[in-house]
Amino acid sequence: MKESSDTRVLPSTPVERLRLYGVFFFFFAGFVYVIGGLAFRQLIQSSDLKEQSDTQSRRVVLRPPARGRIYDRNGFPLVDNRARWSVKADLASLQKEFRGEYLRLVAAEKAREAVSIDREKLMEDARVRVLQGWLNKVWFVIDETNRNTTKGRKSPAKLTPVTAPAERQINIDELRKHLRERRALPFTLVNDLAFPGTGQALTADDGTKSVARFIEQFPVEGPIRLEQDIVRTYPYGAMAAHVLGYVKDTDALPDNVDDISEVRVESLQKLHYTGKTGAAGIELSYNYVLSGRSGWELWSKTSSGYNQTRLKFSEPAQGGNVMLSIDYRIQQAAESSLAKLKDPQGNLLPAAAVMIDVHTGEMLALASQPSFDPNRLADRVSSKYYDEIDKAGGWLNRATQGLYAPGSTFKVITATAGMRKKVVDWDDVLECGAFFKVGNRDYPEHEPVGFGDVNLDKMLAVSCNVWNYQVGLRTGIEALAAESRRFGLDAPLLQTVSDVETGGQAMTELPFAASRGLVVPDREYKLRIGAGAWNDGDTANLSIGQGYLLTTPLHMACVAASIARGETRTVPSIIHSVERNGRHQGSQPIGLNPNQLEALRGGMVRCVEEGTARVARIPGLPYAGKTGTAEYFKKGEKAHLAWMIGYAPAENPVVAFAVLVEGQVDTNTWGGKTAGPVVKEMLETWWPIAAKANQDEKPKAAR
Amino acid sequence: MDQNRQGARASYIALSIFVALWILVPSAVRRFNREAFVEFQAPALHLVGKSRDMATFWEKKSRSVEEMTAAGRDLARINAALEIKINALEDIRRENVRLREITRYNVPAEYMSVVARVATRDSSSWWQRIVIRKGRNDGIRPGAPVVFGNTVVGRVTAVHLTTSEVDLVTSPGFRCTAYLEGDDQNHIVLVNGVASNSLGTAKARVSVIPRDYSMPAGQPARVFTTGMGGVFPSRLVIGYLDGGTYATQVGSFKESLLIPSRDLYNLQEVSVLVPLHQNPGEALMQGDQFQ
């Protein structure tokens, strides 16, 4: 009986039953709550939760593409990409080492009975120590000096060279920034193995050896990786730097048209490697074309935020190429010739040289001095180098941005205006003495005894000022200014880049070309700037290219090209295109009769043969030229600008040119004497190239 | 029944204790155990290699007299051709010595050559790794290049007392710099093995090939060592470019697959070029310093 009473399981009293039902109800309610909650999350909230989960457990890493190349007109690469070998540490793989080092540091702190332990600081120290250890090993392998010193088994740390430039030390600030912003990406130990930027002068060969030593000697497996990416390189250094421009870092990477939906999710964490964008020159104006398409990688991440598995990816695609109208051989000749122009202290004289195709307006050379090496701006720019360029005035592209009085090269426009207004004709002879009186002031000739009887031909050959004073005053400021405008001296002549190529941004082929600063003075202009009423003295000054008139060397090269074609306007372009038809927007016939035009051109030929440009004469190549020497003030003291413009050959012209040299207070700078040799060297380089091109064309024509 | 249960329980307990001990013992003990196992295995590997040699010997010995005569005749012809080549090379060597004497240029010997028979291939990575019958006792050190004639076979990755493990050119652990035949500017390219699926064909990849590089017409382009990395002597043949090169999407460079210059499957004998002076990378490969 006792046993039966012990095995009783159901409550017999109402109170007990009530309690039991209460417990049942409690458990049932709990069960319903759990199941209901589960169903709610699975059926109703599932899509939101999945997105939340994806957001928390995945990330997108964006990779910049390689930029397109820039070629010269013959297909020689002027801007290219080179492989950059970087050594990087995979922080996720180093977690164990960080932890071990951290525990050692904590133990050491405890052993010396420290009052308080700053665990954050110790963790940072541990990371730095571990990474420094690996960096030492990297340098131990790549440093040439270790090769002959390693005998026996010495520890790597002892063999690390004593010298410790910045690149050989872990930069704590960079590490902190990396952990804060890009923890999931590998940390860079050596940015560029071939050119480590340590300040030591590594040759290209040394750089290659460093890369080779690392590749062959450093263990393949482990937390240290060799990564290869692309860096912009300019094979000819500073050549055509103002045309090509340079690139700078950007976080705004170009879009990827094949973006997967995950990449477009706004809430998904996105990390990106630093990309490059154009900062000047063609790199800037054609940035949209050159940029390419970014790549992306979709990663799952660990709970501590490191990348774990790459789930999907899309490779970056290289940008398009751009072919310039520049011929690198002529460009090199122009720059090497300009580089010979120095002041007594040995500093380069600021100067510019332009050569353009008479018919198409394509520029074969566009040089500006002083310049800069875009290679040194392509990666990490040192403020010292930046300041050096700044101080030398190297940022300014003098060919397109420099504003100068054109001096006597303007006399071709004065003569054209005079003949068009019929105040002088091609065979009129004017008496030209040592000076010409305008109002109360004597305007001098540059030849103390004057030139006597001067016609158009002689005027251009000897660059007679008095002839121009007379013709300028007869023509009047309105006609002179109008003629200048007809030749485009008030207009930004450079082609604009099409919307398609800029992505809708309005831009000229060479950004920041002078437009606002160009001055073709007239009565209104002088009143506008508050300089009073226009007078005959101003007209006399303008007639010889002095006074308020400001233009660029590119504009003057275009004037020469226009005269060569017998037209008024040339639209220059830096882009090579076989479809260019030789029509120039806004151009008109020059408006001179054949005799007048012949005399104008003949005078320019005579200028080279026996006149002020004879120093630049090239036997066997008759060509047309006009020199100019303009006064300007540099820091309050008088100095001279040397000019020469023209076209070649004299018959059937092919190229036109303009050279400008900024003389200094202490330099002896004169048009033909200073600018002439530069023209001569450019033409001597161009001539055989053109002759060979002609020879190559003839068989094609015969076929 | 109870006895069986007790026995099973004891086995589980023993296994648990062993696993716990294995986890807890210092890494040096574990390394010693691993080394001891390799050394224990070494005689067996030697025996396998020698048995194969013996089998080859008897297989050749069983050939008919006619076959042997024909082979002997072919060999005589090859010998005659080689004699001429040796004479030509001797002339070049003498000229080389003469020029060095004139310029007083002394070239120190940089490598010691150790000839080793292949014992076996590592079964876990059939194509990628071989074991050779020479080890620490024979002066072999880790990192040393392994060649056959003037072609690269791979690199020593682990050295034991009497055997060594060699990562073949197709191993993912193999990496070296190279020049391409027909590249006048001698750009360096990267050669590394590619991880392949089990039973898949082992491959190596040549990357960072300049985009304007074009292979010489009519022949596969050879891939040479550069000698710049301090491990491989220069101008050893690593292999041939596989048919063509293809551009990667990021542009600027091309890639190609590499055909190793030797049939790695049938290697019987190799030479290990042990550097006379230790290079920095070798120091890093010493386990006690590197880890």
Side-chain angles (χ1 to χ4, degrees):
Chain A
M1 287 301 284
K2 190 180 175 187
E3 195 177 305
S4 69
S5 69
D6 285 343
T7 54
R8 181 169 57 93
V9 289
L10 290 173
S12 55
T13 65
V15 176
E16 283 179 335
R17 250 185 238 125
L18 196 63
R19 277 187 198 148
L20 184 65
Y21 291 144
V23 170
F24 279 168
F25 178 76
F26 179 76
F27 276 101
F28 181 74
F31 182 72
V32 167
Y33 177 77
V34 169
I35 292 296
L38 196 63
F40 179 71
R41 292 198 185 278
Q42 284 292 328
L43 300 176
I44 296 168
Q45 283 192 316
S46 64
S47 60
D48 291 346
L49 290 174
K50 185 173 182 305
E51 191 183 325
Q52 201 176 335
S53 154
D54 287 350
T55 305
Q56 286 173 358
S57 65
R58 299 194 296 176
R59 70 156 58 90
V60 170
V61 177
L62 297 170
R63 282 187 181 272
R67 288 172 71 80
R69 299 181 193 92
I70 303 176
Y71 296 99
D72 89 335
R73 66 186 300 115
N74 301 308
F76 289 98
L78 301 177
V79 184
D80 207 337
N81 303 303
R82 72 170 169 85
R84 175 173 57 182
W85 304 88
S86 314
V87 180
K88 300 195 174 182
D90 180 17
L91 299 180
S93 311
L94 284 168
Q95 284 306 297
K96 206 172 159 189
E97 283 190 52
F98 290 155
R99 183 77 188 159
E101 186 64 26
Y102 167 74
L103 292 175
R104 264 192 293 280
L105 291 178
V106 170
E109 285 291 295
K110 283 181 179 168
R112 70 177 187 89
E113 294 176 351
V115 181
S116 66
I117 296 175
D118 183 350
R119 291 180 185 273
E120 286 272 316
K121 174 82 174 55
L122 289 185
M123 192 64 215
E124 184 178 277
D125 287 351
R127 287 193 187 113
V128 170
R129 278 169 176 242
V130 169
L131 289 171
Q132 186 64 54
W134 281 107
L135 184 56
N136 289 344
K137 287 173 185 169
V138 172
W139 276 101
F140 173 63
V141 165
I142 66 174
D143 198 311
E144 176 74 30
T145 55
N146 282 335
R147 271 170 64 119
N148 301 322
T149 56
T150 53
K151 288 181 182 171
R153 293 180 59 179
K154 297 177 185 175
S155 77
K158 284 178 188 167
L159 286 167
T160 301
V162 184
T163 51
E167 187 106 4
R168 298 190 183 200
Q169 299 293 327
I170 295 295
N171 185 322
I172 296 176
D173 293 332
E174 276 186 18
L175 178 61
R176 279 182 194 143
K177 191 177 172 208
H178 184 90
L179 289 170
R180 202 169 51 242
E181 296 173 5
R182 298 177 186 185
R183 172 184 289 259
L185 303 181
F187 178 70
T188 303
L189 292 180
V190 181
N191 189 43
D192 192 344
L193 261 182
F195 304 94
T198 55
Q200 60 196 34
L202 277 181
T203 63
D205 195 37
D206 282 339
T208 309
K209 280 183 185 167
S210 292
V211 175
R213 274 198 296 278
F214 184 89
I215 288 173
E216 293 188 8
Q217 296 189 30
F218 208 85
V220 178
E221 283 148 11
I224 305 304
R225 297 176 187 169
L226 180 65
E227 284 200 5
Q228 178 222 326
D229 65 353
I230 303 291
V231 70
R232 210 68 169 145
T233 181
Y234 302 80
Y236 296 95
M239 191 192 82
H242 289 99
V243 174
L244 303 173
Y246 58 95
V247 289
K248 63 180 181 184
D249 286 349
T250 181
D251 288 339
L253 300 185
D255 292 337
N256 185 331
V257 289
D258 297 334
D259 277 359
I260 54 168
S261 56
E262 286 95 327
V263 178
R264 287 197 292 268
V265 172
E266 287 299 318
S267 53
L268 199 65
Q269 186 196 7
K270 294 183 182 71
L271 291 178
H272 53 78
Y273 287 85
T274 303
K276 294 288 178 189
T277 188
I282 292 294
E283 292 274 25
L284 174 60
S285 55
Y286 280 82
N287 188 51
Y288 191 74
V289 176
L290 294 165
S291 288
R293 194 188 71 190
S294 295
W296 52 256
E297 295 163 358
L298 184 67
W299 287 83
S300 66
K301 57 185 182 185
T302 62
S303 56
S304 47
Y306 295 104
N307 285 351
Q308 193 170 34
T309 312
R310 193 170 70 169
L311 305 171
K312 294 178 183 174
F313 72 98
S314 161
E315 289 275 359
Q318 187 173 18
N321 300 327
V322 173
M323 184 171 265
L324 300 186
S325 57
I326 294 285
D327 185 314
Y328 88 97
R329 294 163 292 186
I330 303 171
Q331 180 76 23
Q332 270 184 333
E335 293 191 9
S336 66
S337 183
L338 289 180
K340 292 173 192 162
L341 303 169
K342 293 180 179 170
D343 68 13
Q345 290 77 42
N347 301 317
L348 291 173
L349 288 181
V354 183
M355 181 179 274
I356 66 176
D357 185 302
V358 162
H359 302 288
T360 63
E362 289 189 355
M363 292 179 245
L364 305 179
L366 188 95
S368 176
Q369 179 178 279
S371 185
F372 54 85
D373 183 355
N375 286 309
R376 296 180 68 180
L377 304 169
D379 201 8
R380 293 177 181 177
V381 187
S382 74
S383 56
K384 188 182 163 204
Y385 187 58
Y386 196 92
D387 292 344
E388 265 177 40
I389 301 170
D390 210 29
K391 193 178 164 194
W395 298 118
L396 184 72
N397 183 352
R398 287 175 163 73
T400 59
Q401 297 172 308
L403 293 165
Y404 306 96
S408 296
T409 57
F410 184 77
K411 287 171 182 170
V412 293
I413 295 180
T414 306
T416 305
M419 287 190 285
R420 285 189 67 233
K421 206 177 173 199
K422 303 189 190 322
V423 296
V424 69
D425 207 353
W426 66 277
D427 53 354
D428 286 351
V429 175
L430 305 182
E431 173 60 33
C432 297
F435 59 87
F436 185 76
K437 202 170 192 69
V438 181
N440 296 324
R441 190 180 153 195
D442 289 338
Y443 280 75
E445 183 56 79
H446 63 84
E447 176 64 44
V449 293
F451 290 108
D453 292 342
V454 177
N455 61 2
L456 173 65
D457 183 68
K458 185 177 176 184
M459 180 279 283
L460 290 167
V462 300
S463 196
C464 176
N465 284 346
V466 172
W467 189 96
N468 282 279
Y469 297 143
Q470 296 179 61
V471 171
L473 288 169
R474 289 182 204 170
T475 308
I477 176 57
E478 286 78 11
L480 272 180
E483 196 63 40
S484 304
R485 292 192 190 102
R486 226 163 62 92
F487 275 92
L489 293 192
D490 63 336
L493 293 178
L494 263 172
Q495 297 258 16
T496 51
V497 186
S498 73
D499 285 356
V500 179
E501 288 164 323
T502 60
Q505 212 179 347
M507 196 171 286
T508 52
E509 285 181 352
L510 290 172
F512 316 122
S515 55
R516 287 184 188 169
L518 295 167
V519 177
V520 172
D522 55 13
R523 295 179 198 283
E524 289 77 34
Y525 172 78
K526 196 174 174 191
L527 287 172
R528 195 165 64 242
I529 63 169
W534 190 267
N535 57 45
D536 285 349
D538 295 326
T539 307
N541 267 336
L542 177 63
S543 68
I544 59 165
Q546 291 276 178
Y548 301 107
L549 182 64
L550 287 177
T551 191
T552 71
L554 177 62
H555 278 79
M556 292 314 292
C558 290
V559 167
S562 300
I563 291 172
R565 286 200 318 278
E567 294 182 13
T568 58
R569 193 168 288 200
T570 300
V571 179
S573 175
I574 198 72
I575 302 297
H576 182 49
S577 169
V578 289
E579 291 167 4
R580 228 175 273 285
N581 57 15
R583 287 190 197 135
H584 298 268
Q585 196 178 10
S587 187
Q588 302 167 357
I590 195 165
L592 300 177
N593 66 41
N595 287 336
Q596 290 170 331
L597 190 56
E598 188 57 33
L600 186 71
R601 289 170 173 169
M604 290 175 75
V605 174
R606 198 173 153 197
C607 174
V608 176
E609 291 297 316
E610 57 189 67
T612 52
R614 61 187 175 278
V615 68
R617 188 171 170 273
I618 301 173
L621 177 66
Y623 70 96
K626 180 71 195 84
T627 60
T629 307
E631 286 179 359
Y632 81 113
F633 286 89
K634 188 162 181 85
K635 293 176 186 170
E637 291 190 65
K638 196 186 278 184
H640 293 100
L641 300 170
W643 278 93
M644 184 164 168
I645 66 167
Y647 59 84
E651 298 295 326
N652 300 319
V654 177
V655 290
F657 54 82
V659 170
L660 162 99
V661 182
E662 280 182 41
Q664 305 299 298
V665 176
D666 53 356
T667 57
N668 195 7
T669 311
W670 301 102
K673 182 173 146 265
T674 309
V678 179
V679 170
K680 189 177 179 189
E681 203 162 323
M682 285 167 74
L683 288 176
E684 281 176 340
T685 306
W686 162 79
W687 193 18
I689 294 170
K692 188 169 182 308
N694 267 345
Q695 271 181 353
D696 293 345
E697 282 296 317
K698 275 177 191 166
K700 280 185 202 166
R703 278 202 295 275
Chain B
M1 192 74 178
D2 280 351
Q3 276 183 344
N4 280 347
R5 266 188 202 160
Q6 278 178 0
R9 197 178 301 147
S11 305
Y12 285 126
I13 291 170
L15 182 65
S16 307
I17 291 170
F18 179 77
V19 170
L21 277 176
W22 186 250
I23 292 168
L24 293 174
V25 292
S27 61
V29 175
R30 271 186 279 174
R31 206 178 312 142
F32 173 78
N33 266 325
R34 202 163 48 233
E35 284 289 319
F37 179 73
V38 171
E39 298 305 340
F40 173 75
Q41 203 186 14
L45 294 178
H46 276 260
L47 193 62
V48 169
K50 283 185 175 168
S51 304
R52 198 186 308 114
D53 289 351
M54 187 77 82
T56 312
F57 173 76
W58 283 108
E59 188 265 326
K60 285 184 176 154
K61 197 156 187 187
S62 64
R63 301 271 174 94
S64 68
V65 176
E66 287 77 16
E67 275 181 303
M68 298 303 280
T69 310
R73 195 173 52 234
D74 292 344
L75 200 59
R77 284 177 190 154
I78 293 169
N79 277 342
L82 287 175
E83 283 283 337
I84 296 167
K85 204 168 182 180
I86 287 169
N87 286 338
L89 287 173
E90 181 60 22
D91 287 346
I92 293 170
R93 193 190 65 80
R94 282 191 196 135
E95 178 63 10
N96 200 352
V97 169
R98 190 182 71 81
L99 292 173
R100 279 184 192 169
E101 281 171 359
I102 291 171
T103 56
R104 295 184 180 176
Y105 180 65
N106 293 319
V107 181
E110 292 190 348
Y111 296 93
M112 171 184 74
S113 177
V114 179
V115 177
R117 299 287 292 174
V118 175
T120 183
R121 286 162 190 83
D122 190 333
S123 57
S124 61
S125 48
W126 181 253
W127 280 94
Q128 326 284 332
R129 185 170 283 186
I130 57 173
V131 179
I132 55 173
R133 294 197 325 231
K134 290 281 168 70
R136 201 175 301 133
N137 287 349
D138 306 287
I140 290 178
R141 300 204 305 271
V146 179
V147 300
F148 183 87
N150 72 333
T151 61
V152 176
V153 170
R155 230 181 133 174
V156 175
T157 48
V159 181
H160 313 293
L161 273 182
T162 55
T163 56
S164 304
E165 292 168 32
V166 176
D167 261 359
L168 299 177
V169 169
T170 49
S171 161
F174 180 90
R175 185 169 72 182
C176 78
T177 54
Y179 291 136
L180 298 179
E181 187 176 22
D183 179 14
D184 299 335
Q185 294 184 33
N186 277 346
H187 291 102
I188 65 164
V189 297
L190 176 63
V191 176
N192 59 331
V194 180
S196 57
N197 301 328
S198 53
L199 301 180
T201 310
K203 298 172 216 164
R205 185 190 294 124
V206 184
S207 50
V208 207
I209 301 172
R211 79 191 138 70
D212 50 359
Y213 170 75
S214 52
M215 293 209 291
Q219 55 177 11
R222 282 180 294 179
V223 182
F224 300 103
T225 53
T226 61
M228 294 178 93
V231 173
F232 295 93
S234 64
R235 308 305 289 180
L236 294 177
V237 181
I238 306 170
Y240 301 88
L241 289 187
D242 173 29
T245 53
Y246 52 90
T248 55
Q249 237 188 337
V250 281
S252 289
F253 301 102
K254 296 191 282 191
E255 287 187 359
S256 176
L257 288 178
L258 177 102
I259 305 168
S261 53
R262 284 281 158 191
D263 182 1
L264 301 176
Y265 180 74
N266 284 318
L267 279 175
Q268 300 291 329
E269 194 171 86
V270 293
S271 297
V272 183
L273 301 179
V274 184
L276 294 181
H277 301 293
Q278 191 186 34
N279 61 41
E282 199 181 316
L284 289 186
M285 284 184 83
Q286 311 293 331
D288 53 345
Q289 291 186 24
F290 184 63
Q291 287 174 354

